[in-house]
Amino acid sequence: PMIFLTTDYEKNDHLACTISHKLYDVYEDTRIAQETVLGVGGVKILEALNQKIDIYHLNEGHALPLAFELYKKYNSVDELRKHIVFTTHTPEKAGNEEHNIYKLKQMGFFAGLGIDKVKEITQTSDDFSLTLGALRLSKIANGVSKLHAVVSNEMWSSFDNIAPIISITNAQNKKYWVDSILDNACASNEDAILLDRKKHLKERLFKVVADQTGKLFDPDVLTIVWARRFAEYKRPNMLAYDLERFKKLVTNSQKPIQIIWAGKPYPFDMNAIHIFNELNHLSISYSNVAVLLGYELSLSALLKKGSDIWLNTPRVTREASGTSGMTASMNGVINFSINDGWMPEFSKDGINSFIIPSDSSLDIDTQDRQDHANMMDILENKIIPTYYDNPDEWLKIMKNSMRDVVPYFDANRMADDYYTKMYNF
């Protein structure tokens, strides 16, 4: 069962009602109130519904108040840890949420426990880290890819008494995302059906492009998609770092390409909003470049079924996992990606994907320039020529991608990992 909590209830005052109006509210007090509702309220709701819970799984530190609510029941950190596991996501210390411990106490975050007791059981300071608190009150923790687990262990290695951090790589639900005709054609080596279906799926996507932009895309043209949450570290505009080279790329009539951007920036991330608006403005100048709005499940599925290349450009070590490329692969799309997140566990460069080499030891500006140059070189000298001049090789890479992504990156494996490696640890 899935239970949703809301504070938007007629007997609450207006301020209380607004606590659950926005995900990750920009105001600190509201954010803390949301986490208190989720953690303390979550435990109380389950108890009221007579649910007997053996293990509570914290996905990020947002629900950490449940640990303090449960502590009142177990009155022992050792006993408490037996009932909590933790998944961390953000691979940077700066991105892990911190608040003043006295403000948290004032807002009920600690479920009535005193400051001294909280400091004792979490070994934290006045600047209270939700992630560190979760790591110290859980029996085991995990990163969401093998690389992310390595990064996370390095991040928190200087802190003692934390849970061991293992890796459980994220996955996607094949049954939900996959096009069954494509999947069956690949499994039975019916190449003609596979290619015909891919062309049909591109045409379905291009109807949305036409509806939104008035541009008529061609299903025979190589189509590159960058689609996910807009965030600066994901570098959505990396294709356009060099505008002259970009123009030359998209105006090549001999071996044409089509580019689609889609996704949503966080409403208060002004840098990401600026990048989105810049790309939208850039797209106006080209009939084969589009920015699509309304990036929800249905559009996401169309993009993952109707593209040829799934472009992924995060700064290396910044993408904890990334899962959109998994569902793209399931639908005959070839990943063109920085080797970050889940990709090192999947990618075989030139066999089931194309990998952009990157060096995380460089400063950001140098890394960005080098990654862009590597990306463009591979696109111009490998990807585009393979698509147009060697269709048999393209088909082979496409089928390798579809076959290699399952079963390991299907959600059944991930669910089993959580039960066997975390809950029964």
Side-chain angles (χ1 to χ4, degrees):
M2 185 176 291
I3 300 163
F4 295 92
L5 305 182
T6 181
T7 60
D8 196 354
Y9 176 60
E10 60 185 8
K11 292 187 179 180
N12 282 339
D13 61 35
H14 173 72
L15 192 59
C17 287
T18 65
I19 291 171
S20 57
H21 282 182
K22 294 179 181 178
L23 182 66
Y24 304 147
D25 199 287
V26 69
Y27 297 106
E28 183 183 23
D29 286 7
T30 309
R31 183 80 167 251
I32 295 170
Q34 290 178 334
E35 291 160 346
T36 305
V37 167
L38 177 61
V40 178
V43 171
K44 290 181 177 292
I45 287 289
L46 292 171
E47 289 175 347
L49 295 173
N50 296 315
Q51 296 290 314
K52 295 182 179 179
I53 307 299
D54 296 316
I55 301 292
Y56 293 85
H57 183 171
L58 302 182
N59 193 35
E60 280 284 32
H62 307 304
L64 181 60
L66 76 79
F68 304 109
E69 179 66 21
L70 291 176
Y71 182 83
K72 296 188 295 186
K73 174 181 178 181
Y74 296 113
N75 202 33
S76 161
V77 172
D78 290 340
E79 188 62 29
L80 175 67
R81 284 176 176 152
K82 295 177 183 178
H83 301 278
I84 298 176
V85 299
F86 173 58
T87 298
T88 183
H89 290 270
T90 309
E92 290 187 310
K93 288 183 181 179
N96 287 269
E97 198 170 334
E98 290 187 0
H99 300 284
N100 178 272
I101 197 169
Y102 295 97
K103 176 181 277 290
L104 293 174
K105 172 69 170 66
Q106 181 184 26
M107 299 196 66
F109 188 91
F110 300 123
L113 295 184
I115 293 288
D116 291 342
K117 176 57 69 175
V118 170
K119 287 186 174 182
E120 174 192 333
I121 65 176
T122 62
Q123 300 171 265
T124 50
S125 64
D126 287 356
D127 294 322
F128 186 88
S129 166
L130 274 61
T131 304
L132 184 56
L135 285 169
R136 284 183 167 149
L137 297 178
S138 302
K139 65 174 181 176
I140 190 168
N142 76 289
V144 290
S145 69
K146 289 180 180 178
L147 178 59
H148 179 231
V150 172
V151 172
S152 297
N153 275 291
E154 290 174 352
M155 279 174 54
W156 301 103
S157 61
S158 62
F159 297 93
D160 55 11
N161 295 326
I162 65 170
I165 305 174
I166 65 168
S167 69
I168 297 180
T169 302
N170 281 345
Q172 287 277 26
N173 185 348
K174 177 183 176 181
K175 183 177 180 180
Y176 178 87
W177 288 105
V178 79
D179 180 82
S180 58
I181 297 175
L182 266 183
D183 192 47
N184 292 334
C186 180
S188 57
N189 284 313
E190 296 177 285
D191 293 347
I193 295 176
L194 179 68
L195 293 172
D196 183 67
R197 183 61 175 175
K198 171 54 74 170
K199 186 172 182 178
H200 172 72
L201 292 170
K202 291 174 76 171
E203 289 171 342
R204 281 172 50 181
L205 169 61
F206 296 164
K207 287 180 180 178
V208 176
V209 174
D211 286 344
Q212 287 202 21
T213 69
K215 299 177 181 182
L216 301 179
F217 277 23
D218 184 343
D220 292 323
V221 171
L222 175 66
T223 302
I224 301 169
V225 167
W226 191 103
R228 53 187 51 80
R229 180 172 63 89
F230 261 70
E232 192 273 337
Y233 80 87
K234 294 177 183 283
R235 300 185 293 188
N237 56 340
M238 199 162 89
L239 267 175
Y241 277 5
D242 182 338
L243 289 176
E244 286 302 314
R245 195 169 181 180
F246 177 82
K247 181 179 179 180
K248 184 178 179 180
L249 181 73
V250 299
T251 57
N252 184 344
S253 60
Q254 300 301 311
K255 293 179 180 177
I257 67 167
Q258 296 164 156
I259 300 172
I260 299 172
W261 278 286
K264 290 183 177 179
Y266 177 62
F268 295 96
D269 185 346
M270 300 313 296
N271 192 27
I273 291 169
H274 178 67
I275 293 172
F276 185 93
N277 290 338
E278 278 194 332
L279 290 174
N280 191 48
H281 181 74
L282 178 66
S283 71
I284 296 171
S285 302
Y286 302 98
S287 61
N288 56 336
V289 178
V291 175
L292 300 184
L293 304 177
Y295 187 65
E296 301 289 353
L297 289 175
S298 59
L299 178 57
S300 178
L302 284 173
L303 290 162
K304 291 166 181 174
K305 294 171 183 177
S307 54
D308 298 304
I309 285 289
W310 197 259
L311 180 60
N312 182 41
T313 52
R315 291 195 184 93
V316 72
T317 75
R318 298 281 297 274
E319 188 68 85
S321 179
T323 55
S324 62
M326 299 174 189
T327 43
S329 281
M330 293 175 186
N331 289 289
V333 183
I334 299 172
N335 276 276
F336 181 27
S337 178
I338 295 288
N339 206 26
D340 199 11
W342 74 289
M343 287 300 294
E345 299 167 57
F346 166 78
S347 62
K348 302 168 189 170
D349 187 32
I351 297 174
N352 66 4
S353 55
F354 295 97
I355 295 301
I356 304 165
S358 183
D359 185 352
S360 62
S361 68
L362 301 174
D363 64 85
I364 286 178
D365 288 341
T366 305
Q367 184 182 351
D368 285 355
R369 286 196 301 273
Q370 188 176 91
D371 289 356
H372 169 262
N374 290 336
M375 176 190 67
M376 296 299 286
D377 288 345
I378 294 166
L379 182 57
E380 293 167 349
N381 301 321
K382 289 186 180 180
I383 294 176
I384 295 175
T386 302
Y387 182 84
Y388 286 108
D389 300 335
N390 197 346
D392 290 341
E393 180 66 16
W394 186 271
L395 177 61
K396 183 180 177 181
I397 297 171
M398 180 176 162
K399 291 167 70 175
N400 286 339
S401 177
M402 295 178 73
R403 289 167 176 162
D404 290 350
V405 78
V406 288
Y408 188 76
F409 297 101
D410 180 49
N412 289 324
R413 185 274 310 159
M414 180 183 68
D416 185 69
D417 277 355
Y418 274 108
Y419 276 103
T420 57
K421 297 179 180 181
M422 296 275 282
Y423 305 158
N424 293 325
F425 173 75

